[in-house]
Amino acid sequence: MSENIYLIGFMGSGKSTLGKEIATTLDYNWVDLDHYIEAHQKTTIKELFDRFGESTFRKLETSSLKDLIPKRQLVVSTGGGIIVTPENISLLKSQTTFYLKWHFDTLYNRVCDDKNRPLVKSYEQLLALYNKREQLYKEACTKVIACEGKSIEVITQEIIRLMEVEDENSSY
Ligand code: S3P
């Protein structure tokens, strides 16, 4: 097993928490794409949105994703909007990408008070965004993980098992 693992899903789906867990279990390195962008740009995501707008952020998101693809043994936690850029969908689809799927209300309760997420607005606006993106996550992933009602540990084990199965199959 050496390929990178990419985690995608809406805001609040636990991409970072799970990414760290999976990386520790597999002895991979963990990269959070938002942190990667912030470190390279020496600013915050909120500041990037406020000063330069979402489209500048999206370009940085694609170039950062492209930086990481040639590397090995990484677990990459992406930002929730990675799939709004069509190029990213084909990049992710060509990799091992898990879509962490939760019910909207679970996600809303986790992110509704977060002032650092520039796209978190009213319940209705966020629900519309979720509905618009749902199909894009499915297009970009290689496997949907139904997360509702499961603990981080259970989801981690599910993903590790899928990686092991893929590895066993590819060694024949
Ligand atoms: C975004 C999600 C955020 C961050 C940015 C845009 C989105 O990441 O990349 O605020 O468009 O959904 P998280 O999913 O980690 O909150």
Side-chain angles (χ1 to χ4, degrees):
M1 236 191 280
S2 65
E3 74 222 70
N4 295 345
I5 298 171
Y6 298 83
L7 300 179
I8 64 172
F10 204 69
M11 289 169 265
S13 58
K15 300 177 296 279
S16 300
T17 312
L18 269 157
K20 273 185 239 171
E21 252 334 274
I22 298 166
T24 306
T25 312
L26 291 177
D27 201 18
Y28 276 28
N29 289 312
W30 173 64
V31 180
D32 181 292
L33 205 62
D34 280 349
H35 295 170
Y36 181 92
I37 295 168
E38 289 180 331
H40 280 78
Q41 300 303 314
K42 300 187 175 53
T43 184
T44 62
I45 301 299
K46 188 175 180 316
E47 185 75 10
L48 278 170
F49 267 73
D50 289 349
R51 289 189 54 201
F52 305 104
E54 183 173 345
S55 69
T56 299
F57 170 72
R58 296 297 169 207
K59 288 190 187 108
L60 292 168
E61 206 173 30
T62 301
S63 62
S64 306
L65 180 63
K66 285 180 171 168
D67 284 350
L68 300 179
I69 284 181
K71 301 195 190 302
R72 284 288 163 263
Q73 301 203 324
L74 297 182
V75 180
V76 182
S77 302
T78 63
I82 190 98
I83 40 63
V84 302
T85 307
E87 187 180 3
N88 297 348
I89 296 188
S90 34
L91 288 169
L92 290 163
K93 190 80 186 174
S94 68
Q95 306 291 307
T96 299
T97 300
F98 296 105
Y99 164 34
L100 308 173
K101 183 174 163 50
W102 298 87
H103 295 159
F104 175 72
D105 282 359
T106 305
L107 299 167
Y108 180 74
N109 288 327
R110 287 185 192 152
V111 302
C112 61
D113 292 327
D114 191 340
K115 303 278 172 282
N116 292 318
R117 284 180 161 113
L119 295 176
V120 172
K121 293 179 180 127
S122 69
Y123 180 92
E124 289 72 24
Q125 280 170 306
L126 212 59
L127 177 59
L129 195 63
Y130 175 89
N131 287 333
K132 203 161 110 187
R133 289 179 174 181
E134 174 78 18
Q135 184 53 32
L136 302 176
Y137 292 124
K138 288 184 183 156
E139 277 172 36
C141 76
T142 47
K143 178 84 187 159
V144 179
I145 306 291
C147 294
E148 203 62 45
K150 295 177 189 165
S151 66
I152 292 292
E153 293 71 27
V154 167
I155 304 167
T156 302
Q157 284 316 315
E158 194 172 325
I159 291 177
I160 303 285
R161 185 67 201 127
L162 286 165
M163 293 301 294
E164 284 167 355
V165 169
E166 196 175 293
D167 204 39
E168 282 161 19
N169 291 341
S170 67
S171 59
Y172 286 114

